[in-house]
Amino acid sequence: MQTAEIHRRWLDFFEKRGHTVVPSASLVSDDPSLMFTVAGMVPFVPYLSGLVPAPYPSATSVQKCIRTNDIEEVGKTPRHGTFFQMCGNFSFGDYFKEGAIRFAWELLTASEEEGGLGFDPEDLWVTVYEEDDEARALWREIAGLPDERIQGLGKDTNYWSTGQPGPAGPCSEIFFDRGPEYGIDGGPATDDDRYVEIWNLVFMQYAITDVKSKTDFTIVGELPKKNIDTGLGLERVAFIKQGVENMYEIDQVRPVLDRAAELAGKVYGENEADDVRLRVIADHVRSGLMLIADGVTPSNEGRGYILRRLLRRVILSMRLLGVDGPSFAELFPVSRDAMKGGYPEVERDFDFISRAAYAEEKTFLRTLASGIQILDTAVETAKGASAAVAGDTAFLLHDTHGFPIELTLEIAEEAGVAVDRGVFTTLMQEQRDRAKADAKAKKGQRADLSVYKELRGLGETVFTGYDELVHESRVLGIVVDGAPATEAREGDVAELVLAETSLWAESGGQDSDQGVIVGDGFEAEVLDVQRPVPGLVVHTVRVTVGTVGLDARAETRVDADYRRGATQAHSGTHIVHAALRDVLGPNAHQAGSYNKAGYLRLDFTHSDALSAETKSEIEEISNLAIRSDYEVVTREMALDEAKALGAMALFGEKYGDRVRVVDIGGPWSRELCAGTHVSSSAEVGMINLVSESSVGSTNRRVESLVGLEAFRNFAAERTIVQQLTSGLKVPRVELVSKVQDLSAQLRAAEKKIAALEAERLAQRVPELLAGAEEIGGLRVVLASLGRVGSADDLRGLALQLREQLGSAAGAVVLAGEADGKPVVIAATTAAGRDSGVRAGDLAKLGAKVLGGGGGGKPDLAQGGGTDPSKIGEALAEIRRSLGG
């Protein structure tokens, strides 16, 4: 049974039993505490927790998920994958334990001809929470399971909670017995791979508090509305139904594995180490494909870093299989073809997906090449000293150059040297501890969303700001210091929830409005407006006059000048996006934006920097659109209707069934957007592109000033030009050539000064050679030269002196002050290096005394620091290290 068929049967089964079919949410989670959607229930958490009223009594979905906490286990077990699909059925007070157990058993054991999954009941075991006698009895009654195949387990495995005060409850898991050839007898309690968990039923029935750990909490009572949350692992069922050994061999994954094996000249099943690498490749390519399809692009932080890590693990695994060159162009199309049946977007957006993946591969292959050069030097040093590659070098390669430790170990092993894993492991642990502390600090800064639960239950906040800037409402809720309050007094910073508001809450790239909230006897300055949970608008305010209390009349007043600037910037973002696509082509997708009054920032998918001519063309097209005074029309319609009209749905954005479509000049710019906009393009005023930069291997960023801010910037530049023309006494048309002439004269003068400085230093060669010392069997030139033109001058003199030392075992160490900073240069002769002296060690030692760092090759190295007064001390330390 193909994976897509299991997917279809699941949704069909539950739809026929009254469940609303909910499409998979994006892999990018709405939950601020989660980087990705990590489980099928994540999109339903607001309903399951009661934070937001459920729009339907029961639902079903097949949800895309990403988990990387067990990434090291990928390929080694039959069930660990970074991308997986979770089939779920959910009840929000509709049915409970009996319904959930009955549905599960019916779907699993009904014949394939009847629309079921056709499992033999004799192959199925279940676990229940050891104190849940009700669930045990229901399994006996509904499924007819004997007691020995219903195993009771403790809270650590069969009790669910969020880890925080709130809803919780026992769970029941269903396992498939693969047979005695896969392990020991004894059921799931043995925790053996023979028994594969395929379905987990969570019975959310209690409220808990005083949560100290997963197993230590206090049950305070039953929930008023009991919920069901279940999840069946699609890949796990697929590998069982397809009769293969693991999830990497199912129809959606195996084709990539086979193509990788073909490229590497390997036969899957012959060598376990190679098999693990092939399974990692197959899993990670699919994960990369699906993440990029949901708008994630490689970067050095957040979600982009996780994607980058997955893609680089593919490249590393291919290299360890013997494939040194690019392979993504062979692997990604195979994964696309395997996944497009369930996710047509991977075919529709494959041009964007492939360009992002291929660019990352190209970048990392260059990184590997440069890392290998550094590692080769470290290996040679280790050979000469009969030592291991330094752990800090291995960490530097890993942390700074993205060079995996696995490859460092392999190359070192081939060269016959070890790697100091102890130091490397210590440095890695220190990095993890810092990251964990940072994450914990950030997590601690987030508000407890449970405070908004009752407020959201009062209804959805109505936004009236599309049509008015002033609106009268009433105060439904007050939050002070994270806790509900009955009032907020003058001087307090508080959060206000109103029934309606004309103030825009930050979303869709548009910053929140500025303004005030006023009422009988109080006034509050609006500091921020956010939507902490779907449908609830929260105004962070500073009470400047009086006291605001619950149920008080409150009037929201938007700062009209700020809103005008914000709408100019938001409409300007759409205009710049359309201009980018006009110039660069339809593959230039928006990949993120931010706009506020007077300013816009737009990220877009493109690999190469924009030339000055291209930036000017984009700016000109944008301003021509403004001059054309295009009508700006906003319409609300069904999502499918909007897409049929060609409205752009932007990567990473999430849309409901009803959407707003914003047209500028008809189809010239047509996007899904809930933000506020001008009524005609001329109202934008002016676009002034002020910068363009890289924000990743496949993303660029343009920044622009808009409207009055754009004019002010042009006016400031005009003033600068006037000052220059006046000071240089040239007309404006000659200003550029005059500045170029002055620059050329300056460069010529600097070059002449540098030549004179080099000549002056060269004249000191005889004097410095005459002062050479015999230290530890070496002829050593050790000198401080005071102020020098540059480090290059000092390096040139050191090389001249080394040449004069000839075949003698010798070293040259020169120090000086360049541009106010101390610099030390070390050079060694071949005979000096044979005696064990390394220039890099000498430079590093001197730099340490100078308060900086340094290093280099054994024959020539450089160091620097911050304290020129310690040059004499640095040279003395180097002399002592040589035996003087």
Side-chain angles (χ1 to χ4, degrees):
M1 188 181 294
Q2 298 292 289
T3 307
E5 175 62 14
I6 302 169
H7 182 149
R8 186 196 64 77
R9 285 175 181 245
W10 176 275
L11 295 179
D12 185 58
F13 177 89
F14 283 103
E15 185 176 27
K16 287 178 177 176
R17 287 154 181 80
H19 292 63
T20 299
V21 174
V22 179
S24 173
S26 170
L27 287 169
V28 178
S29 175
D30 280 330
D31 188 333
S33 67
L34 294 174
M35 194 174 291
F36 295 115
T37 301
V38 296
M41 53 85 73
V42 168
F44 299 97
V45 166
Y47 312 143
L48 292 167
S49 64
L51 194 61
V52 176
Y56 24 66
S58 58
T60 185
S61 69
V62 177
Q63 174 62 48
K64 301 176 292 185
C65 302
I66 284 281
R67 285 185 198 167
T68 57
N69 53 318
D70 290 328
I71 194 170
E72 300 300 335
E73 296 302 312
V74 172
K76 299 175 184 176
T77 75
R79 63 185 187 277
H80 281 99
T82 51
F83 172 86
F84 60 96
Q85 298 155 90
M86 186 63 73
C87 303
N89 61 287
F90 307 90
S91 167
F92 312 107
D94 185 20
Y95 58 85
F96 197 50
K97 285 184 188 178
E98 180 179 0
I101 290 173
R102 194 174 298 280
F103 284 145
W105 192 253
E106 182 182 350
L107 177 56
L108 285 175
T109 60
S111 69
E112 294 182 13
E113 292 73 21
E114 297 171 317
L117 296 177
F119 280 93
D120 185 340
E122 296 299 317
D123 292 330
L124 300 177
W125 292 63
V126 299
T127 62
V128 296
Y129 176 49
E130 57 193 0
E131 297 179 16
D132 191 356
D133 295 333
E134 180 187 7
R136 182 185 292 275
L138 285 168
W139 278 114
R140 280 198 299 259
E141 176 189 338
I142 294 169
L145 286 173
D147 281 342
E148 60 268 20
R149 295 226 311 275
I150 307 173
Q151 296 187 322
L153 300 177
K155 285 181 179 177
D156 56 335
T157 59
N158 277 63
Y159 210 95
W160 177 90
S161 76
T162 63
Q164 297 178 347
C171 60
S172 179
E173 298 173 332
I174 307 172
F175 291 79
F176 176 79
D177 180 3
R178 304 177 76 195
E181 63 270 29
Y182 288 96
I184 62 175
D185 197 5
T190 63
D191 197 26
D192 191 82
D193 280 344
R194 167 176 169 172
Y195 301 93
V196 179
E197 179 196 338
I198 56 176
W199 202 335
N200 185 17
L201 316 177
V202 175
F203 310 128
M204 212 174 292
Q205 65 186 106
Y206 298 114
I208 62 172
T209 188
D210 193 24
V211 181
K212 297 184 178 64
S213 70
K214 182 176 173 133
T215 59
D216 187 359
F217 50 80
T218 301
I219 297 175
V220 294
E222 292 202 346
L223 295 170
K225 184 182 286 188
K226 298 175 183 178
N227 297 327
I228 288 292
D229 154 32
T230 87
L232 173 139
L234 182 57
E235 282 78 7
R236 296 188 184 189
V237 171
F239 88 70
I240 294 169
K241 294 299 295 180
Q242 292 173 22
V244 295
E245 293 298 307
N246 51 61
M247 64 165 288
Y248 315 102
E249 298 176 19
I250 66 173
D251 59 301
Q252 288 187 344
V253 186
R254 180 64 185 258
V256 179
L257 186 154
D258 288 339
R259 184 65 184 126
E262 184 180 351
L263 291 172
K266 304 290 184 180
V267 176
Y268 183 63
E270 284 192 349
N271 179 285
E272 180 59 21
D274 287 345
D275 289 352
V276 169
R277 290 164 185 155
L278 288 168
R279 293 193 284 261
V280 167
I281 292 164
D283 172 83
H284 289 7
V285 165
R286 185 169 73 144
S287 298
L289 176 88
M290 301 306 294
L291 280 169
I292 300 172
D294 272 358
V296 181
T297 54
S299 68
N300 285 330
E301 59 185 17
R303 300 178 181 95
Y305 174 76
I306 298 297
L307 172 60
R308 171 163 283 170
R309 185 183 181 199
L310 291 169
L311 296 180
R312 292 187 170 190
R313 278 171 60 90
V314 173
I315 298 166
L316 169 62
S317 297
M318 289 299 292
R319 183 182 179 89
L320 294 177
L321 288 170
V323 180
D324 293 338
S327 61
F328 281 8
E330 297 289 339
L331 301 176
F332 270 79
V334 176
S335 188
R336 172 202 62 200
D337 292 343
M339 296 299 295
K340 66 184 181 183
Y343 303 95
E345 63 269 23
V346 300
E347 183 172 38
R348 182 191 67 224
D349 299 324
F350 190 69
D351 183 68
F352 166 76
I353 294 167
S354 60
R355 283 189 298 108
Y358 301 169
E360 178 63 21
E361 180 182 42
K362 183 179 179 181
T363 299
F364 189 51
L365 287 174
R366 285 200 302 266
T367 297
L368 286 177
S370 62
I372 286 172
Q373 292 179 354
I374 297 172
L375 183 55
D376 284 345
T377 301
V379 166
E380 288 303 312
T381 301
K383 280 183 178 179
S386 299
V389 171
D392 57 355
T393 301
F395 179 75
L396 173 72
L397 284 165
H398 167 84
D399 190 51
T400 304
H401 300 278
F403 202 76
I405 184 61
E406 297 93 339
L407 197 56
T408 299
L409 293 169
E410 182 193 44
I411 293 173
E413 183 180 354
E414 288 177 355
V417 299
V419 176
D420 188 341
R421 287 298 300 272
V423 171
F424 175 83
T425 301
T426 299
L427 292 170
M428 282 295 295
Q429 188 59 49
E430 290 174 356
Q431 185 189 62
R432 290 190 189 101
D433 292 343
R434 287 193 298 271
K436 185 182 291 186
D438 182 54
K440 186 175 181 180
K442 290 178 179 177
K443 184 176 181 181
Q445 293 165 7
R446 284 196 291 271
D448 181 0
L449 297 183
S450 64
V451 73
Y452 305 117
K453 179 178 177 180
E454 291 186 12
L455 295 172
R456 180 61 182 84
L458 298 175
E460 185 170 347
T461 310
V462 178
F463 175 64
T464 67
Y466 291 130
D467 305 311
E468 59 185 10
L469 299 183
V470 178
H471 184 82
E472 186 170 321
S473 183
R474 63 188 183 90
V475 179
L476 298 181
I478 303 173
V479 178
V480 178
D481 294 331
T486 57
E487 63 179 21
R489 299 179 179 181
E490 186 172 322
D492 286 348
V493 173
E495 294 175 312
L496 302 184
V497 174
L498 311 179
E500 305 91 20
T501 181
S502 57
L503 289 151
W504 174 259
E506 181 179 0
S507 60
Q510 182 175 335
D511 205 351
S512 61
D513 273 334
Q514 294 180 3
V516 295
I517 299 176
V518 299
D520 295 333
F522 77 87
E523 183 170 327
E525 176 192 3
V526 176
L527 305 177
D528 193 14
V529 190
Q530 295 290 332
R531 289 188 176 93
V533 297
L536 185 72
V537 174
V538 174
H539 310 77
T540 301
V541 302
R542 178 182 291 109
V543 182
T544 54
V545 175
T547 298
V548 54
L550 285 175
D551 209 36
R553 183 192 66 82
E555 189 174 81
T556 57
R557 299 177 182 176
V558 179
D559 183 317
D561 287 338
Y562 185 87
R563 170 67 76 81
R564 184 181 301 109
T567 57
Q568 286 177 315
H570 203 154
S571 297
T573 304
H574 286 224
I575 288 172
V576 172
H577 187 206
L580 278 165
R581 291 168 63 80
D582 269 1
V583 175
L584 302 177
N587 292 324
H589 291 281
Q590 179 176 323
S593 68
Y594 171 72
N595 50 77
K596 62 179 181 178
Y599 170 85
L600 73 85
R601 181 183 75 217
L602 178 67
D603 295 347
F604 59 99
T605 55
H606 194 65
S607 301
D608 303 320
L610 304 185
S611 65
E613 293 78 11
T614 299
K615 286 185 286 185
S616 294
E617 185 179 2
I618 292 166
E619 187 176 63
E620 182 173 359
I621 290 173
S622 299
N623 283 294
L624 284 173
I626 293 170
R627 191 188 71 173
S628 297
D629 196 19
Y630 290 141
E631 184 181 13
V632 179
V633 177
T634 60
R635 295 171 286 169
E636 186 174 307
M637 61 184 70
L639 177 60
D640 291 341
E641 182 185 354
K643 289 183 176 179
L645 284 173
M648 290 193 63
L650 305 179
F651 278 105
E653 290 292 328
K654 301 167 184 66
Y655 305 97
D657 294 333
R658 301 288 296 176
V659 294
R660 293 181 84 241
V661 177
V662 178
D663 289 353
I664 302 178
W668 183 72
S669 170
R670 177 170 288 161
E671 298 187 17
L672 304 183
C673 180
T676 63
H677 289 273
V678 298
S679 58
S680 70
S681 63
E683 294 178 31
V684 173
M686 183 185 296
I687 294 289
N688 177 8
L689 290 184
V690 292
S691 76
E692 189 270 342
S693 59
S694 170
V695 286
S697 59
T698 58
N699 282 0
R700 307 293 299 179
R701 170 176 292 171
V702 290
E703 295 178 271
S704 176
L705 298 176
V706 185
L708 188 58
E709 289 302 317
F711 168 76
R712 286 170 176 161
N713 188 67
F714 279 127
E717 291 181 349
R718 180 181 61 192
T719 301
I720 293 171
V721 170
Q722 289 173 341
Q723 291 172 343
L724 287 172
T725 55
S726 175
L728 296 175
K729 294 181 171 47
V730 294
R732 189 176 66 175
V733 293
E734 297 178 13
L735 181 60
V736 173
S737 60
K738 180 66 174 178
V739 172
Q740 288 173 339
D741 288 344
L742 290 172
S743 296
Q745 292 173 26
L746 179 61
R747 286 194 297 271
E750 289 174 341
K751 188 174 181 180
K752 186 173 182 179
I753 292 170
L756 291 171
E757 179 65 18
E759 183 179 342
R760 181 184 71 82
L761 288 175
Q763 291 172 354
R764 298 194 61 180
V765 169
E767 168 200 343
L768 293 168
L769 281 173
E773 308 172 54
E774 292 294 329
I775 304 175
L778 293 173
R779 191 178 180 201
V780 181
V781 177
L782 200 67
S784 172
L785 301 181
R787 292 185 178 177
V788 296
S790 68
D792 288 342
D793 294 335
L794 208 59
R795 187 183 300 107
L797 179 59
L799 292 173
Q800 290 183 55
L801 289 166
R802 183 178 69 179
E803 186 177 348
Q804 293 296 317
L805 291 177
S807 60
V812 178
V813 181
L814 303 179
E817 183 181 341
D819 297 325
K821 297 288 182 67
V823 62
V824 58
I825 302 291
T828 57
T829 64
R833 292 191 293 278
D834 290 341
S835 68
V837 179
R838 299 284 185 271
D841 296 338
L842 300 178
K844 187 181 295 185
L845 179 61
K848 185 177 181 181
V849 177
L850 296 171
K857 297 181 179 179
D859 61 329
L860 182 65
Q862 176 178 326
T866 58
D867 190 352
S869 68
K870 292 190 175 181
I871 285 177
E873 185 181 334
L875 292 177
E877 186 64 28
I878 292 172
R879 177 182 281 108
R880 280 193 291 273
S881 74
L882 292 171

